Amino acid sequence: MKKKKRYMSIKTFIVLAISIVLTVTLGLCFFGFTYSMKRKQMDDLLASTESRTVRLANDLSFYKMDLSTDDTTISTDIDESAYFNNGRIMVISKNYKILKDTYVLKQNDYIVSKDIMSVMCGYDEKVTRYRGDYAEVIYPIVINDEVSGVIVSTASMQDINQRYGFLYKRIGIMLSIVFILDILLIILISRKAVERIDEINEDIYNTSHGSLHDKLEEKGFQETRYLAQNYNEVLEKLSTIDQTRQEFVSNVSHELKTPITSMKVLAESITENEGAGVEDYKDFMTDIIDEIDRETKIINDLLTLVRTDNSKSVLNIEEVSVNDMLDSIVKTVMPLAKQRSIDVSYESYKDIVAEVDEVKLSLAISNLVENAVKYNIESGWIKVSLNSDNKYFYVKVADSGVGIPEDAKDKVFDRFYRVDKARSRDTGGTGLGLSITRSIINAHGGTIKVYSESGKGTTFTVRIPLKSKLEKVEVKTLEKSTKAEKTDVLIAEEDTKSPAADEEKDA
């Protein structure tokens, strides 16, 4: 048993897709929000540190950086400010000596750094930055409009980092719980969303192994309802095609059996008639030949129908003067029309050149014109007209004939369908002519419509594109195809010859 290839299900796709979307969106929202809050607090800390540093620098400037006087509290203010910010403050003189260090680690030492030198030399008005877990401000001490030193103040961001580290953990736990609950909810939603699709798949599988009449129940979401409706329409078409196929086989069997039955009856009659003379034999043989010709015509029409139904690739497309083609068709049916005093007129409004298969399209239009003659009234009329626009050319064949009943209009293109069976057989029809015509026109990408009323004549309108979508073929290919068709017809005629005819030929 062949294993079915596994593909990703819609449920899995929905769960994975929404999980990824949730992870990305929640992550961006969470980290974006917390980062913006943390950044704001860091900026506030840096701003407050800068504000205190500026105040201390102004005080140091006022006391000319004298930290040893007893009448000031500048040294105490520096200590308190460093303690408040949980940081460190250094006062540095012009010669880069540390006059005051709240950590007392490097007091009276010398310090040289690029940022301190930049502020000391006046290249930068100040330096504010984040450095590790600290916010740092380097500000000049100006005495008599001259930079006499700098104050370096740092504030610890450890509290901020700890708060947001704790916040990350708590929110991370909450988001994980919410994420898990969302995933479970998404799974339930996805199952509900595709539940009907699974049912439809199962119904379709059962239908493929059962009857074409088991339709799907149209329920559920809008998409599944449309899916069920479209499937039911396809099922109806398949059922119609299957029924048409069965009817076609039945009709073919009946049509081919009828001439054979007639020939058998004629042969048995002549065999049982012991006193039959030469004239009787000739009459019987003439009737048998007529039945053979009828059988041959049916077979040839079936062969033509199969070729036109096969595919559009059998068409031999070339540029053809449609005016000349219709003129030739009308001239061909003139003798038959004159026998019944039927007036045939042909009117062309434009000179039209189209890309068509001239042989097959001539056959299609000829069928329409010949039918207009066969099913017309005595002394009636037939009007054939040709026109075009920038995309299509139009052929209209109208007659004053017996017309088509309303209930038969949709069936006239069916194979072996006859409106008047007795009249069709009298005129030599097989019931395949209009079916062949429609197949040829459809193969050209065209359409055919019928307008008729019983007893008031019939009008067929044909619309075919001027430019074919199929590639043109060389004339040699066309000639070869035409020869092949003639060969098929000859083979069919040879196959349908009676043994009696072969014996007569041998004799």
Side-chain angles (χ1 to χ4, degrees), residues 380-393:
W381 53 263
I382 297 172
K383 294 179 181 179
V384 180
S385 63
L386 173 66
N387 205 346
S388 71
D389 54 25
N390 58 340
K391 289 185 178 180
Y392 303 93
F393 70 88

Side-chain angles (χ1 to χ4, degrees), residues 341-405:
S341 302
I342 296 174
D343 179 50
V344 181
S345 63
Y346 165 53
E347 188 173 11
S348 175
Y349 296 94
K350 294 180 181 179
D351 290 331
I352 300 170
V353 175
E355 296 177 358
V356 296
D357 184 328
E358 184 175 10
V359 175
K360 291 184 174 60
L361 189 58
S362 294
L363 173 62
I365 304 300
S366 294
N367 284 340
L368 296 179
V369 180
E370 288 175 6
N371 281 350
V373 175
K374 292 177 183 178
Y375 301 102
N376 213 323
I377 59 176
E378 296 293 332
S379 302
W381 53 263
I382 297 172
K383 294 179 181 179
V384 180
S385 63
L386 173 66
N387 205 346
S388 71
D389 54 25
N390 58 340
K391 289 185 178 180
Y392 303 93
F393 70 88
Y394 303 87
V395 178
K396 182 185 291 187
V397 179
D399 64 56
S400 59
V402 296
I404 302 171

Side-chain angles (χ1 to χ4, degrees), residues 92-223:
I92 303 169
S93 66
K94 183 71 173 178
N95 60 353
Y96 297 98
K97 182 179 180 180
I98 301 175
L99 302 178
K100 172 75 174 179
D101 183 4
T102 56
Y103 276 12
V104 196
L105 294 175
K106 293 187 177 182
Q107 193 156 321
N108 296 322
D109 286 348
Y110 291 88
I111 184 172
V112 177
S113 73
K114 180 180 177 182
D115 294 326
I116 292 174
M117 289 180 66
S118 176
V119 175
M120 190 78 76
C121 297
Y123 298 131
D124 290 322
E125 292 182 0
K126 62 181 178 180
V127 173
T128 58
R129 64 182 179 182
Y130 299 107
R131 189 173 183 180
D133 290 336
Y134 291 89
E136 184 177 61
V137 177
I138 303 175
Y139 202 82
I141 301 171
V142 181
I143 301 174
N144 297 328
D145 297 329
E146 184 181 348
V147 177
S148 300
V150 297
I151 180 171
V152 179
S153 180
T154 60
S156 176
M157 296 187 297
Q158 188 175 1
D159 290 342
I160 296 176
N161 292 333
Q162 286 179 350
R163 285 199 302 271
Y164 278 91
F166 177 75
L167 184 63
Y168 288 152
K169 290 180 182 179
R170 294 294 295 271
I171 295 180
I173 294 172
M174 291 177 63
L175 287 178
S176 298
I177 295 173
V178 171
F179 183 77
I180 293 172
L181 292 175
D182 285 343
I183 293 298
L184 294 176
L185 186 60
I186 291 167
I187 292 173
L188 292 176
I189 293 173
S190 63
R191 285 183 177 177
K192 183 64 178 176
V194 301
E195 181 180 16
R196 180 58 187 148
I197 296 178
D198 291 337
E199 292 178 2
I200 290 175
N201 282 331
E202 186 176 354
D203 291 342
I204 292 175
Y205 177 80
N206 294 333
T207 302
S208 67
H209 292 79
S211 172
L212 293 176
H213 303 287
D214 297 334
K215 294 185 178 181
L216 297 178
E217 188 176 356
E218 297 174 7
K219 64 179 183 179
F221 295 107
Q222 177 177 300
E223 290 77 8

